[in-house]
Amino acid sequence: MTEQQSVVVIGGGIVGVSAAIWLRREGVNVTVVDRTAPGDRSATSFGNAGVLAACSVAPVTYPGMIPKAPKLLFDPEFPLFLRWSYLPKLTPWLLKYLSHANDKDTRRIAHGLTGITHDTVDQHEALTKGTEAAEWTVNSDYTFVYKDRAGFEADAYTWELRREAGFVPEIIEGQDVHDFEPMLAKNLNCLALMRDHGYVRDPGGYVAALAKEAQKLGAEFRQGDVKDVTLTDGKVTAVVTDQGELACDKVVLATGSWSKALTDKLGLKVPIESERGYHIMFKNPTQMPKIPMMMSMGKFVATPMQDGLRCAGTVEFGGLNDKMSDGPLKFLRRKVKEYFPDLEYSEEVPWLGHRPATTDSLPLIGEVGNTGVFAGFGHHHIGLTAGPKTARIIAGLITGKKENIDLSVYDPGRF
């Protein structure tokens, strides 16, 4: 039955290439379409922190956030930025987003995130085992860095959510912190260490390697701009690109922040915005951390990668344009110097990308009505972490091998 199906995957990022692999393993004919090559520098999957963050179950919104939100925008020590000219367009989304900053919704969202993040290391291993892509992933610990125990305890609510999901940290304090990671500044004296995580040495190289594996399995890749989908009697029958039509039985929509244009055409109104995320790659660093570190005060992650030390973080709202702002980059540079005072490097390479953010911090996973179009986007900060599992779930829905997971929280029609 599956051999007769023809699926077009729109989007060549981590979700799209993973879906192509899982579908081809079930004998489904697959064509992947994207504007750029998989792993391209301009793609969102290129620029993340690279962490397989199993414990990333807490949303950005939290109880008590609303009174603090205006102040955070003007706090030079907080990594939140806004292009003020974009505020009128952002406001309807922002109001819905902040409406979830309460205990009930936060716990509900955390439960939903746990379902697609907690086993990320196993999911990446299942995807890559026996392939050339496996060399890009590293099993490792992951640590959260604080100035002191008081700083850690100030995050008690978030750690409670993690504990409820099964993630309990080991606490390291005092001189043991600097024995564990000598490159940290001397005023950083508390680590919350998480075991059994992992990271990717080069996310762009990883996605490109996954695409190569999908091609080996028989998937076809085409470069083009998707303009529309054709529905016949309510069912998808073709994808319209600037290079012509591609006939199909099913579609996987995995275009991240750019998904809204097509969901609008399907009559699905999805409240989604781009969280403009930044990173700086520090080339030829004189120091490298032994494992990825989340700098809890600066809200950025420092990850040792093949091409240097990548420091990724900050949130900026300003739409889908690709012009970098000075503020987030200056913030990152300042914080990196503050936390790694002895770090030197030959050059820095900045990057900007678009994280797809829904108003309830949960992705869309599943069929859009009964159209044969399957959504797989809206992962906020956990795209790399949850991408392979999202793709596996979608492939199972298409081939009749459903995963044992409650998908109602990710229902594309929930808005």
Side-chain angles (χ1 to χ4, degrees):
M1 181 70 179
T2 56
E3 286 89 349
Q4 299 172 2
Q5 292 196 74
S6 179
V7 176
V8 172
V9 177
I10 307 174
I14 184 63
V15 175
V17 296
S18 299
I21 290 173
W22 285 118
L23 287 166
R24 281 304 303 148
R25 286 174 178 171
E26 293 298 321
V28 177
N29 295 320
V30 178
T31 301
V32 181
V33 183
D34 202 330
R35 291 173 295 180
T36 62
D40 185 85
R41 178 179 171 79
S42 66
T44 301
S45 290
F46 175 93
N48 53 74
V51 182
L52 305 185
C55 67
S56 286
V57 302
V60 174
T61 51
Y62 57 87
M65 181 183 185
I66 293 176
K68 298 177 182 178
K71 181 180 177 182
L72 294 177
L73 273 173
F74 296 99
D75 185 350
E77 297 302 307
F78 195 79
L80 176 62
F81 300 86
L82 171 66
R83 288 193 166 193
W84 291 99
S85 61
Y86 192 71
L87 183 58
K89 185 174 181 179
L90 177 70
T91 296
W93 178 93
L94 187 60
L95 291 175
K96 291 179 181 178
Y97 185 63
L98 292 174
S99 73
H100 297 286
N102 59 75
D103 182 67
K104 181 179 178 181
D105 280 334
T106 300
R107 292 182 184 278
R108 175 181 59 81
I109 293 166
H111 179 74
L113 293 175
T114 301
I116 53 174
T117 64
H118 77 282
D119 58 350
T120 177
V121 175
D122 291 340
Q123 292 293 333
H124 280 264
E125 182 177 351
L127 180 69
T128 64
K129 189 173 183 179
T131 76
E132 294 180 6
E135 68 174 316
W136 293 102
T137 62
V138 180
N139 291 338
S140 77
D141 299 329
Y142 179 37
T143 193
F144 293 74
V145 181
Y146 293 91
K147 285 187 176 180
D148 49 33
R149 171 73 73 137
F152 167 73
E153 291 176 349
D155 277 351
Y157 183 83
T158 298
W159 283 107
E160 179 188 349
L161 296 177
R162 292 181 182 131
R163 286 190 179 92
E164 289 177 355
F167 298 101
V168 180
E170 298 176 27
I171 304 302
I172 301 173
E173 294 184 271
Q175 182 56 42
D176 291 341
V177 169
H178 304 285
D179 293 339
F180 182 87
E181 185 48 77
M183 72 182 290
L184 287 170
K186 295 302 182 184
N187 66 332
L188 303 173
N189 291 296
C190 183
L191 301 179
L193 183 66
M194 304 299 298
R195 301 292 186 184
D196 303 321
H197 280 60
Y199 67 96
V200 175
R201 295 187 297 110
D202 175 358
Y206 182 50
V207 171
L210 290 171
K212 184 177 179 181
E213 176 62 22
Q215 287 177 304
K216 285 182 180 179
L217 292 171
E220 181 181 355
F221 282 73
R222 295 193 182 187
Q223 198 162 325
D225 191 10
V226 174
K227 300 296 186 181
D228 204 349
V229 293
T230 300
L231 300 179
T232 303
D233 297 327
K235 296 283 189 179
V236 66
T237 54
V239 170
V240 182
T241 80
D242 58 355
Q243 306 296 313
E245 279 197 358
L246 297 172
C248 60
D249 304 303
K250 302 284 193 302
V251 165
V252 177
L253 181 57
T255 48
S257 297
W258 291 269
S259 300
K260 185 171 175 55
L262 285 178
T263 56
D264 283 349
K265 292 179 182 295
L266 293 167
L268 191 67
K269 301 302 180 183
V270 180
I272 190 168
E273 274 290 341
S274 165
E275 284 190 8
R276 292 158 51 88
Y278 290 78
H279 82 232
I280 298 176
M281 180 69 83
F282 296 96
K283 298 274 191 171
N284 302 307
T286 54
Q287 300 172 313
M288 285 275 265
K290 64 177 69 174
I291 61 173
M293 298 187 294
M294 163 61 85
M295 314 307 293
S296 299
M297 303 79 65
K299 305 297 183 186
F300 74 90
V301 178
T303 307
M305 290 196 176
Q306 175 174 281
D307 293 335
L309 173 61
R310 178 176 292 185
C311 294
T314 76
V315 170
E316 181 188 40
F317 291 109
L320 277 170
N321 72 81
D322 293 324
K323 184 179 180 181
M324 292 188 186
S325 300
D326 290 336
L329 293 172
K330 287 180 178 178
F331 176 89
L332 268 177
R333 292 186 188 103
R334 187 174 77 252
K335 290 301 177 182
V336 168
K337 182 63 176 177
E338 181 180 331
Y339 301 140
F340 309 131
D342 298 325
L343 176 68
E344 296 181 2
Y345 45 89
S346 63
E347 65 174 312
E348 62 173 53
V349 182
W351 180 90
L352 163 68
H354 300 279
R355 304 185 189 112
T358 59
T359 51
D360 66 357
S361 299
L362 290 165
L364 284 73
I365 306 174
E367 189 172 7
V368 179
N370 294 305
T371 61
V373 177
F374 292 80
F377 65 90
H379 291 79
H380 276 248
H381 300 231
I382 60 165
L384 181 68
T385 295
K389 184 162 189 176
T390 296
R392 195 173 189 174
I393 291 169
I394 293 171
L397 291 173
I398 291 173
T399 61
K401 293 187 175 183
K402 296 182 180 180
E403 297 290 313
N404 185 24
I405 182 173
D406 178 12
L407 296 180
S408 61
V409 294
Y410 320 113
D411 184 355
R414 67 184 184 272
F415 299 107

